[in-house]
Amino acid sequence: MIRHDPLAVRVAAIEPLSATLKRLTLESADGGALPIGSAGAHVSLILEGGDRPFRNAYSLVSMPGERGCYELIVRRTAGSRGGSAFIHERLGEGSVIGATVPHNLFPIQRHARKHLLIGGGIGITPLLSYLPALRQGGERLELHQISARDEVPLFENLLAPHAAHDVHVHAGRGALDLSALLARQPLGTHVYVCGPAALMDHVEAAAAALGWPASRVHRENFGAAGGDPFTLRLARSGREIAVGPDQSMLDALEAAGVPVPSLCRGGACGECLTKVTGGVPEHRDHYLTDLEKAEGALVMPCVSRAKNDLLVLDL
Amino acid sequence: MNDQGIKSRPAYAPLARDPVGRTHLLVADSMAIPHAAFAPGTSLGDYDECWTVEGHSRAIPSAMPDARMHGFRSASHLLIALRRRLAMEYMGFRLYAIGTEAFLWDVAAAAEAAGMGKEEYALFHAGSGARRVLCVHCRTLNQGVTTNLVACGGCGAALFVRDHFSRRLNAYMGVQVDAEMPGERPDVEEIYR
């Protein structure tokens, strides 16, 4: 059974890692043990008290199986939907917030003969929880982190506990020949990539061109950035809700008090699937099939938007 | 009396080189590869290497063949070289096998053990239709069974050869034919040739 009741967690520590990155340590507000997150799992934080509530998904970077606390790393981004800015500005040690129980849409493939991990920027976070789990299992691994030049020392520092392994930080996409890397992997390798969509698309395309079956390529999807504002009309009530340029449909619905079940908030899990009865969705998810996207009768409000000014939902 | 409507009997389609693969190795348990093994418009020439079983002691043992065509003494000899080869191969490799079912699923087991998945190898049945039959009562493997009924070489049970094929065990299941009604047995027919 999937548990939907949020947990109450207290911010036990906030550690600045750089001008834009903070590491948060969360403990259960009642002092009890937290539900276990496996390697690659994420939690959604439920942040209230701003202009509108935010729900943002973050990968756990604490040791898989840790029950005393959850650790996560939050980057403040210029085009953020507001959640990361809220965490950076408003959240303090001792604050109590809501969090979903951990879910995992990016699990380790246990039958892989080798694990090739590729991170881009803050996309390193789920891979940070992979490293101890893979090392504990004696698994064969290779990690490549692609970073902006000025953040190389930051990621080298985060990866320092694993430096004795096949772990590398590269300054920029151009510093790593992805095709050569994928071409030299032994049979039975699985590749996991987390980072900007362009990087993940590139890895997927390069792997396919080298004869990797699609089942060996795994990507972790974060929420897509915003776009043009548009209006949602709820077919059952006739109510209209504005979706701002830096806001997702799901955030707008939640802010208006319309509950929609959600898990990953990144277009991967399918939990927030909603029927469309008018207008044309602009699909940005990885859940619907190409045929379903072309039909336009379903939409994933966590990441997708509208092609026109108005989208009518069966809500 | 042969088929019981069980769908686990493997189906095989003629082979075609996977256009997205980078290296293509074809293995066969016979030197006589039928044209039917290849999809229309394709041929043996499409593959980078072809390993066959000569079934003769004049085939010279070689741990790691390097010629485009290579003959082995036996299927066992070929499978040993194949396992060594797979341990050294890279993603993008494709494996194709032509031969009897026992050979095909030995190749498939070697591929899976090396971490390959179903998208990375393909099998085509050619040659004898004789079956490897597992006695489900005593676990003996009976080789080369061509009849619907066979006496188990281990426990002597009169086994009915089912169409139930185990990919893991690489054998068809054989069950006591008259377990329900002792003495009630169909006629013996040679149907797997």
Side-chain angles (χ1 to χ4, degrees):
Chain A
M1 194 189 97
I2 293 175
R3 184 181 152 176
H4 283 284
D5 302 339
L7 308 162
V9 293
R10 179 180 294 109
V11 180
I14 298 179
E15 180 193 355
L17 300 174
S18 75
T20 58
L21 293 182
K22 283 185 175 176
R23 173 158 42 205
L24 264 60
T25 304
L26 308 173
E27 293 173 348
S28 173
D30 65 10
L34 292 163
I36 287 176
S38 51
H42 68 271
V43 296
S44 285
L45 299 186
I46 302 154
L47 305 161
E48 288 169 7
D51 306 336
R52 54 178 197 254
F54 298 110
R55 289 175 67 111
N56 280 27
Y58 297 100
S59 298
L60 298 179
V61 300
S62 28
M63 285 286 286
E66 169 68 57
R67 305 204 65 182
C69 68
Y70 294 149
E71 288 176 11
L72 33 93
I73 298 176
V74 179
R75 183 195 284 285
R76 179 176 184 159
T77 49
S80 110
R81 289 175 291 145
S84 68
F86 182 94
I87 289 169
H88 273 254
E89 286 166 17
R90 306 272 301 270
L91 217 56
E93 291 181 358
S95 300
V96 173
I97 55 176
T100 61
V101 298
H103 292 284
N104 198 343
L105 299 165
F106 193 54
I108 290 174
Q109 305 294 314
R110 288 293 171 187
H111 49 278
R113 295 298 186 282
K114 180 181 172 182
H115 307 266
L116 175 65
L117 316 179
I118 301 173
I122 195 59
I124 190 67
T125 51
L127 305 178
L128 286 175
S129 70
Y130 270 44
L131 288 167
L134 292 174
R135 285 174 56 184
Q136 194 174 25
E139 301 274 337
R140 194 169 166 197
L141 73 91
E142 180 174 352
L143 182 144
H144 294 269
Q145 167 69 2
I146 299 167
S147 150
R149 186 167 296 278
D150 60 330
E151 288 192 323
V152 167
L154 168 74
F155 289 114
E156 281 177 344
N157 199 30
L158 282 173
L159 290 163
H162 312 284
H165 296 264
D166 204 349
V167 168
H168 313 270
V169 180
H170 307 271
R173 269 272 293 284
L176 174 63
D177 185 340
L178 278 169
S179 288
L181 174 69
L182 291 164
R184 65 168 183 258
Q185 296 306 317
L187 276 183
T189 304
H190 283 242
V191 61
Y192 310 78
V193 57
C194 183
L199 170 68
M200 297 196 288
D201 290 347
H202 185 83
V203 168
E204 252 178 18
L210 290 164
W212 285 58
S215 61
R216 307 306 174 84
V217 183
H218 312 278
R219 57 190 283 169
E220 173 75 315
N221 297 295
F222 287 121
D228 292 333
F230 60 99
T231 302
L232 283 178
R233 181 182 296 155
L234 308 188
R236 296 182 205 173
S237 62
R239 205 175 147 192
E240 295 201 344
I241 298 168
V243 181
D246 63 343
Q247 190 181 25
S248 75
M249 250 195 270
L250 185 58
D251 287 337
L253 287 164
E254 287 170 349
V258 181
V260 176
S262 69
L263 281 179
C264 76
R265 308 179 79 83
C269 75
E271 184 77 4
C272 66
L273 182 76
T274 303
K275 283 184 191 165
V276 175
T277 57
V280 182
E282 182 204 329
H283 298 285
R284 294 183 179 183
D285 64 277
H286 298 271
Y287 179 79
L288 296 175
T289 64
D290 289 343
L291 183 63
E292 287 170 327
K293 287 179 181 176
E295 285 172 353
L298 298 168
V299 70
M300 312 303 303
C302 61
V303 290
S304 297
R305 302 187 70 84
K307 282 191 175 162
N308 339 82
D309 296 338
L310 182 72
L311 194 66
V312 187
L313 300 180
D314 181 26
L315 287 174
Chain B
M1 178 176 172
N2 58 342
D3 190 285
Q4 309 88 41
I6 292 170
K7 302 299 180 217
S8 71
R9 185 173 173 196
Y12 306 94
L15 303 179
R17 198 180 81 139
D18 181 351
V20 300
R22 286 189 292 151
T23 309
H24 305 267
L25 170 63
L26 180 76
V27 298
D29 68 355
S30 162
M31 308 256 298
I33 300 176
H35 289 300
F38 302 105
T42 75
S43 71
L44 182 59
D46 297 340
Y47 300 85
D48 299 320
E49 291 167 83
C50 177
W51 293 2
T52 56
V53 173
E54 293 188 15
H56 194 286
S57 61
R58 71 172 166 263
I60 297 168
S62 162
M64 197 46 60
D66 50 10
R68 194 182 161 274
M69 305 288 288
H70 190 90
F72 290 83
R73 286 191 176 202
S74 65
S76 301
H77 185 194
L78 184 153
L79 286 162
I80 290 166
L82 179 62
R83 289 186 195 101
R84 293 176 64 130
R85 172 66 179 271
L86 295 179
M88 296 162 50
E89 269 300 340
Y90 298 95
M91 292 298 287
F93 179 79
R94 293 292 185 274
L95 179 62
Y96 310 82
I98 299 170
T100 58
E101 278 195 307
F103 175 74
L104 296 182
W105 293 96
D106 280 345
V107 170
E112 296 274 351
M116 298 177 79
K118 288 182 178 59
E119 309 99 318
E120 294 165 290
Y121 64 87
L123 313 173
F124 184 79
H125 181 202
S128 168
R131 293 182 168 191
R132 186 188 277 179
V133 176
L134 177 84
C135 173
V136 303
H137 310 288
C138 81
R139 306 281 146 176
T140 295
L141 281 169
N142 297 276
Q143 308 285 350
V145 175
T146 60
T147 47
N148 60 333
L149 299 185
V150 66
C152 175
C155 65
L159 300 177
F160 174 65
V161 180
R162 304 185 71 194
D163 265 356
H164 180 176
F165 181 76
S166 163
R167 286 158 171 76
R168 183 176 67 85
L169 299 168
N170 189 351
Y172 287 90
M173 300 297 106
V175 298
Q176 173 87 37
V177 66
D178 54 357
E180 303 290 331
M181 298 290 284
E184 193 171 286
R185 298 181 184 183
D187 293 336
V188 176
E189 296 174 79
E190 186 170 51
I191 50 178
Y192 307 119
R193 272 170 294 197

